[in-house]
Amino acid sequence: MSETSIASILLIDDHPLLRKGVKQLIELDEELRVIAEASNAIDGIKAAKETEPDLILLDLNMPNINGIEALKMLRDEDVSSRIIVFTVSDNEEDVVAALKAGADGYLLKDMEPEELLASLRQAALGKVVISDKLTTLLAQALQSGRSSNKSDISSLTPREKQIIKLIAGGLPNKLIARKLNITEGTVKVHVKHLLKKLRLRSRVEVAVWAVQEGLG
């Protein structure tokens, strides 16, 4: 999405009143537009494949198939939309599980309306978005149970370090490829290797790790 275009959004949430409220809020922003809604995971996945939105705002606590499972299913279906978990849960396990499952952000439903709109605009531009109160919690969760990162850093190639800095800056693979004058496929290979070396599971974790290590 370019900075001047409108970001399309799919809402997946089992509460109709919340969907209506969020939709009305988003309608106030000229850069964002809700193009589809779904009240459950199955309908949401179908809508995602049919409409190919820029962003998917996904509730965590839904009946039958929860948000984490829905997230995994969306990624298994090769849905390329940026997926933002939107929930009341600030539980550490939920945050880490969502990011490991491939979420591009994690926002809390108690955030201020203006902050939500600002976060959605940032997400549409490829930035990682996490509610402020969760950033410290996430950093602690990434550190727990892991050995020293010094050996991790030394194992990275100069190119991998470049890519990590750009991921931390919120750039998607396509823009990273353009900036480094390499193919998007080559970027994906580098990202796969650096995730394995750092024992991380998602780009969001890479971004948080990079800031911790002074690479961001």
Side-chain angles (χ1 to χ4, degrees):
M1 193 202 89
S2 69
E3 291 192 34
T4 55
S5 62
I6 298 173
S8 56
I9 300 173
L10 163 63
L11 301 178
I12 306 178
D13 196 297
D14 62 320
H15 292 100
L17 279 176
L18 185 131
R19 288 201 311 274
K20 184 177 181 181
V22 171
K23 185 177 180 180
Q24 288 175 338
L25 174 65
I26 289 173
E27 285 173 352
L28 299 175
D29 194 303
E30 295 180 353
E31 296 177 36
L32 306 168
R33 184 175 78 245
V34 175
I35 58 168
E37 300 176 43
S39 61
N40 59 70
I42 298 300
D43 289 346
I45 292 165
K46 183 181 177 185
K49 293 169 72 175
E50 288 175 352
T51 62
E52 297 183 350
D54 295 310
L55 299 176
I56 296 174
L57 208 52
L58 176 66
D59 184 27
L60 205 59
N61 302 308
M62 295 186 292
N64 301 321
I65 300 175
N66 66 30
I68 300 295
E69 291 304 314
L71 182 51
K72 292 176 182 176
M73 292 166 72
L74 284 162
R75 290 308 184 209
D76 287 344
E77 292 284 345
D78 290 327
V79 170
S80 60
S81 309
R82 294 182 65 76
I83 303 173
I84 313 300
V85 170
F86 188 49
T87 180
V88 296
S89 174
D90 59 1
N91 181 282
E92 176 185 309
E93 291 181 3
D94 287 338
V95 179
V96 174
L99 299 180
K100 285 185 175 180
D104 296 294
Y106 196 105
L107 301 176
L108 297 175
K109 289 181 177 178
D110 64 357
M111 67 193 303
E112 293 296 326
E114 296 79 9
E115 290 178 14
L116 173 60
L117 292 176
S119 294
L120 293 178
R121 288 194 298 270
Q122 291 296 303
L125 292 173
K127 302 287 178 69
V128 167
V129 290
I130 302 175
S131 287
D132 289 342
K133 69 167 72 172
L134 298 176
T135 307
T136 302
L137 178 145
L138 178 59
Q140 291 171 344
L142 290 181
Q143 284 183 323
S144 64
R146 299 185 64 212
S147 59
S148 171
N149 287 325
K150 297 306 175 187
S151 59
D152 295 335
I153 294 175
S154 64
S155 72
L156 295 171
T157 66
R159 178 66 90 191
E160 286 167 348
K161 289 180 182 178
Q162 279 183 307
I163 290 174
I164 286 174
K165 288 180 181 179
L166 295 173
I167 289 175
L171 270 66
N173 287 344
K174 188 177 292 184
L175 291 183
I176 291 175
R178 194 180 304 164
K179 198 172 185 69
L180 299 179
N181 199 27
I182 55 179
T183 67
E184 190 173 351
T186 301
V187 174
K188 289 180 179 178
V189 171
H190 281 305
V191 171
K192 183 179 179 182
H193 287 165
L194 67 88
L195 285 173
K196 187 175 182 181
K197 286 181 181 180
L198 299 176
R199 300 188 299 283
L200 299 175
R201 296 284 297 276
S202 73
R203 296 168 69 88
V204 177
E205 290 187 357
V206 170
V208 173
W209 179 86
V211 172
Q212 282 182 279
E213 297 300 320
L215 295 176

